Amino acid sequence: MKLSKFKFTLPQSLIAQEPSKFRDESRLMVIHRDKGKIEHRVFKDLIKYFGKGDVFIMNNTKVFPCRLYGNKEKTGARIEVFLLRELNPDMKLWDVLVDPARKIRIGNKMYFGPNDSLVAEVIDNTTSRGRTLRFLYDGKREEFKKMLYGLGSTPLPRYINRESTPEDAERYQTIYASVEGAVVAPAAGLHFSRELMKRLEIKDCRFEYITVHSGLGNYREIDVEDLSKHKMDSEQMKIEEKVANAVNDAKDHGKRICAVGTSVMRAIESSVSTDGHLKEYDGWTNKFIFMPYDFSIANCMITNFHTPLSSLLMLTATFGGYDLIMDAYQIAIKEEYRFCAYGDAMLIL
């Protein structure tokens, strides 16, 4: 499969800049793989397709306010710092991206907040844009994290052309987010409201939670035509034994197992036993799913509408079938579905 097979024209007007008024009232395109049929629904209609014993696998990662703006020492140049992950809590070392990268070198100091209340020093270069920062703060770790996050903002993707707002701190987060570590929200899960989840629970559907700390690799351009030569960035993930047992029980009883999002699908396909069952796992995955590929765990999936040439679209087309998904995307454009993180959803059955 070639990269160019996933090229299409996406009108900028269809890239959602704001979330829908209510989480579960975004639009839902339902794709039936067995009949090639497409339905147009709203997300809370999800309840019509699931019943007793069906399992939703959700990503409980929590996005943290990782986008900071500071000023470089001496010149006062404005620098954006994107916190990726904490490397050493005791030394207050962080792996970060800086922009513009050309202005920042080892030994430079940066100042953040009113009255330059927080100072960081660059101690290493990790990539062309990446740096290791040491924050110079003598207080307790809890106080430091509170200050750091107080200066940060919600890391809205670049395609959302506005500054983040207090509403984004809530809406660019699933209602079940609990394990901090993501810099990208698991978008498929943003559509679930407490009311919808309660109604699904009443129907005896189950929710099982895994953790995948989604990173910026989701947005990295694929620059090779031969997809077999593309390497995904690694993401940290965890699947507990009790979750694996619950999913395997549903699988053995012929129930629907729904992967909520491409991050979940990648994770569960990264930990499959030889007999096709889900295994517990605590580590990293850089799994890249593209055609041809046989899925082992989930038999349905919820996902958002993705940008052209993206690895997320490739996974979706692999699961749903290339021709059917690419046709569905053309219908979505014609019907003016909203794309990307704050956009509408697709259910593939």
Side-chain angles (χ1 to χ4, degrees), residues 229-240:
K229 291 180 167 55
H230 177 64
K231 297 291 185 288
M232 291 285 286
D233 291 358
S234 292
E235 294 179 332
Q236 194 173 8
M237 58 168 279
K238 184 174 184 179
I239 301 172
E240 295 182 353

Side-chain angles (χ1 to χ4, degrees), residues 146-158:
K146 185 176 180 181
M147 173 183 280
L148 187 64
Y149 288 4
L151 294 171
S153 60
T154 303
L156 294 180
R158 293 286 190 189

Side-chain angles (χ1 to χ4, degrees), residues 47-76:
I47 197 167
K48 301 177 186 295
Y49 301 94
F50 294 90
K52 184 175 182 178
D54 292 340
V55 173
F56 292 87
I57 309 177
M58 327 280 271
N59 183 2
N60 64 6
T61 189
K62 187 174 184 178
V63 178
F64 65 102
C66 56
R67 180 172 279 137
L68 284 75
Y69 294 96
N71 298 98
K72 184 183 174 186
E73 64 177 334
K74 296 179 183 176
T75 66

Side-chain angles (χ1 to χ4, degrees), residues 80-131:
E80 179 188 277
V81 173
F82 199 103
L83 303 172
L84 295 177
R85 62 180 63 89
E86 191 173 27
L87 299 175
N88 186 316
D90 296 328
M91 296 181 65
K92 301 179 179 65
L93 296 183
W94 281 77
D95 182 16
V96 306
L97 293 178
V98 294
D99 189 25
R102 57 185 168 76
K103 293 188 176 182
I104 299 298
R105 295 181 173 83
I106 293 174
N108 287 163
K109 286 187 171 65
M110 286 180 281
Y111 298 88
F112 304 91
N115 304 315
D116 298 334
S117 54
L118 187 62
V119 183
E121 181 180 18
V122 181
I123 64 169
D124 192 18
N125 291 345
T126 51
T127 67
S128 59
R129 292 178 61 208
R131 304 288 186 272

Side-chain angles (χ1 to χ4, degrees), residues 6 31-34 50 256-262 264-266 268-269 289-303 311-326 346-349:
F6 297 94
I31 296 182
H32 299 264
R33 291 179 292 174
D34 55 346
F50 294 90
R256 279 193 164 156
I257 301 170
C258 185
V260 179
T262 54
V264 167
M265 186 66 85
R266 286 181 60 229
I268 60 179
E269 288 295 318
I289 296 176
F290 61 97
M291 289 173 277
Y293 185 87
D294 293 323
F295 292 85
S296 300
I297 306 299
N299 50 30
C300 51
M301 178 172 74
I302 296 169
T303 187
S311 64
L312 310 179
L313 172 60
M314 293 164 194
L315 187 155
T316 303
T318 303
F319 186 76
Y322 176 82
D323 291 334
L324 183 56
I325 293 300
M326 297 309 285
M346 173 185 285
L347 169 63
I348 305 174
L349 296 172

